């Protein structure tokens, strides 16, 4: 395929005979902060220890109101940055659990060890807090070998991640029949698609158990999104067009049918609404007629909105597909 001939995502979807309209919204995904104790090379959020953006108490409270008003939204997915570094994180989790919502936290493991990079506040209570409130923990671990993980996320990240996983395992996370879910996320170190999720999960479980004595429930594979830091790296290396062509050529209609933006709404730290976390980072917000912020949230209008697509959406539909819950379809 000629580089200049890359079709728009909507053209490809139309040629496949698909209509990717919203279905019932079941997940409210909330990005509560850009602050993180890490500054990973691939981070689509551009999060780092220097960022200061935080969701305030009033916006957290409005998100909780929306959850309470809509029983069909059964899941709260908290992300960041490191979401635990938002000063209202604990309150957010406790109130959502009190109303019976399933709460997922995009936890980077090392924040438990590092604490808050700006205030020095310890976060070693997090494993017990997660267990007490039955939070699903979803943690990035780029690979089961130290070298590759540290290459992508920084020196020392792998050892800290193993220490944090042992703390979670000691409380029952990742153990059969405990009901405490610890799921890991793999994304490729470079400009290639993830290996099949099931086989990679078996490798992870075997290697991490044999060499480090840690366990987890499931592995989610995610494709690197060609936006922000990863896009800049691709452009710097002169491989952006090649990577985009690879994603376009791997378009999978089955994966496209299951893209997460059809059943999810994303909330920014300032309350603005988006179709997904990636659109949020590209500032592709919903129009005022659909409800631009959480303060004018209207589920009926959102169910009729036109989802905003762009070239990065090929990242969610290549091969087996990619979502915050891992692969979508058979590759």
């Amino acid at each position: 395929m000629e580089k200049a001939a890359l079709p728009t995502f909507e053209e490809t979807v139309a040629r496949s005979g698909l209509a990717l309209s919203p279905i019932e919204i079941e997940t409210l995904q909330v990005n509560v902060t850009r602050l993180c104790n890490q500054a990973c090379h691939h981070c689509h959020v551009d999060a780092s220890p220097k960022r200061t953006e935080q969701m305030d108490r009033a916006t957290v409270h409005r998100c909780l109101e929306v959850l309470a008003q809509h029983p069909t939204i059964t899941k709260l997915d908290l992300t960041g940055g490191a979401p635990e570094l938002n000063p209202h994180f604990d309150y957010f989790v406790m109130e959502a659990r009190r109303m019976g919502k399933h709460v997922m936290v995009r936890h980077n493991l090392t924040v438990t060890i590092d604490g808050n990079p700006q205030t020095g506040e310890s976060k070693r209570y997090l494993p017990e807090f997660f267990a007490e409130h039955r939070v699903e923990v979803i943690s990035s671990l780029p690979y089961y070998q130290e070298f590759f993980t540290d290459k992508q996320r920084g020196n020392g990240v792998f050892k800290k991640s193993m220490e944090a996983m042992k703390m979670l395992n000691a409380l029952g996370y990742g153990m059969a029949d405990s009901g405490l879910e610890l799921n890991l996320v793999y994304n490729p170190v470079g400009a290639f698609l993830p290996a099949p999720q099931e086989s990679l999960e078996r490798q992870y479980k075997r290697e991490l158990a044999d060499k480090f004595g840690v366990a987890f429930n499931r592995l989610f594979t995610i494709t690197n999104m060609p936006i922000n830091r990863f896009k800049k790296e691709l452009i710097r290396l002169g491989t952006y067009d090649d990577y985009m062509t690879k994603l376009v050529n791997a378009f999978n209609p089955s994966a496209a049918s299951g893209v997460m933006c059809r059943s999810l709404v994303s909330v920014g730290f300032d309350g603005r609404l988006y179709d997904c976390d990636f659109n949020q980072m590209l500032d592709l917000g919903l129009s005022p007629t659909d409800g631009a912020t959480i303060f004018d949230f209207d589920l009926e209008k959102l169910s009729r909105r036109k989802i905003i697509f762009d070239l990065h959406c090929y990242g969610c539909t290549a091969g087996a597909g990619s979502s915050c819950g891992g692969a979508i379809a058979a590759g």
Side-chain angles (χ1 to χ4, degrees):
M1 179 178 294
E2 294 293 331
K3 292 173 184 175
L6 286 177
T8 68
F9 184 77
E10 288 178 314
E11 287 171 345
T12 299
V13 168
R15 274 203 300 270
S16 299
L18 298 173
L20 301 185
S21 54
I23 54 179
E24 186 170 81
I25 296 171
E26 62 179 26
T27 302
L28 192 70
Q29 186 174 66
V30 186
N31 193 311
V32 293
T33 182
R34 302 283 174 90
L35 174 63
C36 188
N37 58 310
Q38 299 180 4
C40 303
H41 294 311
H42 68 286
C43 182
H44 71 276
V45 180
D46 274 344
S48 82
K50 296 181 180 178
R51 300 297 293 262
T52 58
E53 299 92 333
Q54 296 279 11
M55 180 172 281
D56 61 23
R57 182 84 165 196
T59 310
V60 168
H61 185 67
R62 177 57 188 153
C63 290
L64 288 167
E65 282 185 340
V66 167
L67 288 171
Q69 291 165 355
H70 300 289
T72 56
I73 304 176
T74 58
K75 301 175 184 176
L76 173 65
D77 188 348
L78 293 173
T79 186
E84 306 89 343
L85 296 178
N86 180 289
H88 312 296
F89 172 80
D90 294 4
Y91 168 75
F92 206 164
V93 170
M94 289 188 289
E95 290 300 302
R97 288 294 299 136
R98 189 177 57 78
M99 62 178 80
K101 303 295 181 181
H102 179 81
V103 177
M104 300 173 280
V105 174
R106 307 282 161 179
H107 172 59
N108 71 22
L109 292 170
T110 63
V111 70
T112 296
I113 313 301
D114 289 340
N116 190 311
Q118 296 183 350
T119 66
E121 178 192 7
S122 173
K123 290 293 177 181
R124 284 189 172 268
Y125 72 94
L126 283 173
E128 288 84 0
F129 178 79
F130 293 152
E132 178 184 356
H133 297 286
R134 315 293 289 181
V135 172
E136 178 184 349
V137 176
I138 304 172
S139 301
S140 287
L141 188 68
Y143 208 53
Y144 52 73
Q145 294 175 337
E146 183 174 356
F147 172 79
F148 292 105
T149 292
D150 284 3
K151 181 180 179 182
Q152 188 179 94
R153 314 203 81 186
N155 290 334
V157 165
F158 187 82
K159 287 179 179 175
K160 291 176 187 175
S161 297
M162 292 301 100
E163 181 181 351
M165 282 187 69
K166 288 177 181 176
M167 294 169 73
L168 289 164
N169 284 170
L171 294 166
Y173 271 100
M175 302 293 122
D177 303 324
S178 72
L180 296 173
E181 281 195 65
L182 170 58
N183 299 316
L184 298 184
V185 178
Y186 162 86
N187 61 289
V189 175
F192 52 91
L193 296 178
Q197 185 166 278
E198 288 186 7
S199 61
L200 199 54
E201 180 180 290
R202 287 195 293 273
Q203 291 178 39
Y204 261 72
K205 286 189 171 180
R206 183 182 64 244
E207 294 291 325
L208 291 179
D210 291 349
K211 296 181 179 175
F212 305 100
V214 296
F216 65 97
N217 295 100
R218 291 180 294 160
L219 181 75
F220 300 150
T221 56
I222 290 182
T223 300
N224 285 323
M225 276 290 143
I227 62 176
N228 285 341
R229 285 184 193 154
F230 187 58
K231 181 178 181 180
K232 290 176 183 173
E233 182 181 359
L234 292 172
I235 292 172
R236 182 178 63 82
L237 296 172
T239 57
Y240 174 75
D241 287 337
D242 290 339
Y243 186 62
M244 284 307 309
T245 300
K246 184 180 297 181
L247 295 181
V248 172
N249 288 341
F251 177 81
N252 181 348
S254 296
S257 297
V259 286
M260 59 186 175
C261 54
R262 301 186 70 193
S263 60
L264 170 152
V265 168
S266 171
V267 188
F269 75 91
D270 55 359
R272 291 184 64 195
L273 298 180
Y274 305 83
D275 293 307
C276 71
D277 199 49
F278 304 119
N279 279 10
Q280 182 178 151
M281 298 313 143
L282 293 169
D283 202 25
L284 300 173
L286 301 190
S287 74
T289 55
D290 293 327
T293 79
I294 192 71
F295 293 96
D296 45 28
F297 188 95
D298 186 322
L299 193 61
E300 188 174 337
K301 286 183 179 177
L302 289 170
S303 68
R304 298 194 303 266
R305 78 189 190 280
K306 186 176 185 298
I307 297 173
I308 300 171
F309 296 113
D310 207 336
L311 285 177
H312 64 284
C313 301
Y314 283 112
C316 285
T317 57
S322 180
S323 73
C324 288
I328 301 169

